[in-house]
Amino acid sequence: MASPKRDNARAARILVDAALFGDRKACETHKITDRTLRNYRAALDSDTELSALYAQLSSLVTTQTWAGELNSTLTTLIRKLGGMTQELPGSTAENIGAVTGAIKVLSEIAITREVLGHGEVSDAGDGQPDQSNPEAGGADSTA
């Protein structure tokens, strides 16, 4: 007797949940056994439909988790950091170290954004796509 056909959309969702929240939580939430989860993982190698659904959903979920707030959060932090460095009195060694540290932090943020493919922050921190970043769906994009 043939086994029932797997619901690949559901399996992909469960696999993404397992990646985000752990196997135990995913199994409890979706009321499946650990063995079923292992079978879904094994099927990723041979089932192109499941693999494609998993990749698409995984990308969507991980992007939504943090990218939706990335610009506004970074803009807020950059403004706060800028204000803090402007309020530093004089050129003491401690203050110079603080400004140098701020520059390092901003440089690391810029590198991280570049690696993640999010370009420069050019908006008002409103969480909307950057106007100067066509890849982010801004007004200058050509479709």
Side-chain angles (χ1 to χ4, degrees):
M1 177 184 215
S3 60
K5 178 154 174 46
R6 176 182 52 251
D7 180 350
N8 279 342
R10 181 174 184 263
R13 176 76 244 179
I14 293 169
L15 288 166
V16 168
D17 284 355
L20 291 173
F21 308 113
D23 291 3
R24 181 179 295 160
K25 179 72 174 159
C27 288
E28 288 172 5
T29 300
H30 295 282
K31 298 181 180 12
I32 62 167
T33 65
D34 181 58
R35 181 68 189 148
T36 300
L37 182 59
R38 288 193 309 260
N39 288 341
Y40 289 167
R41 278 199 185 104
L44 282 171
D45 293 333
S46 59
D47 188 329
T48 56
E49 179 192 32
L50 176 60
S51 180
L53 286 168
Y54 173 76
Q56 181 182 18
L57 186 58
S58 178
S59 175
L60 179 66
V61 168
T62 55
T63 299
Q64 286 178 345
T65 300
W66 58 268
E69 296 185 24
L70 182 64
N71 283 343
S72 62
T73 303
L74 285 176
T75 300
T76 301
L77 291 173
I78 289 167
R79 288 179 183 156
K80 178 73 172 169
L81 188 55
M84 290 169 64
T85 56
Q86 288 175 1
E87 293 173 7
L88 292 173
S91 297
T92 66
E94 183 179 340
N95 291 346
I96 291 170
V99 171
T100 303
I103 292 169
K104 180 181 178 192
V105 168
L106 293 175
S107 298
E108 290 171 354
I109 290 170
I111 290 168
T112 301
R113 287 181 63 84
E114 192 64 32
V115 168
L116 295 174
H118 290 283
E120 298 178 18
V121 175
S122 61
D123 64 10
D126 58 5
Q128 298 302 311
D130 293 344
Q131 298 300 311
S132 64
N133 187 352
E135 293 177 8
D140 296 337
S141 65
T142 54

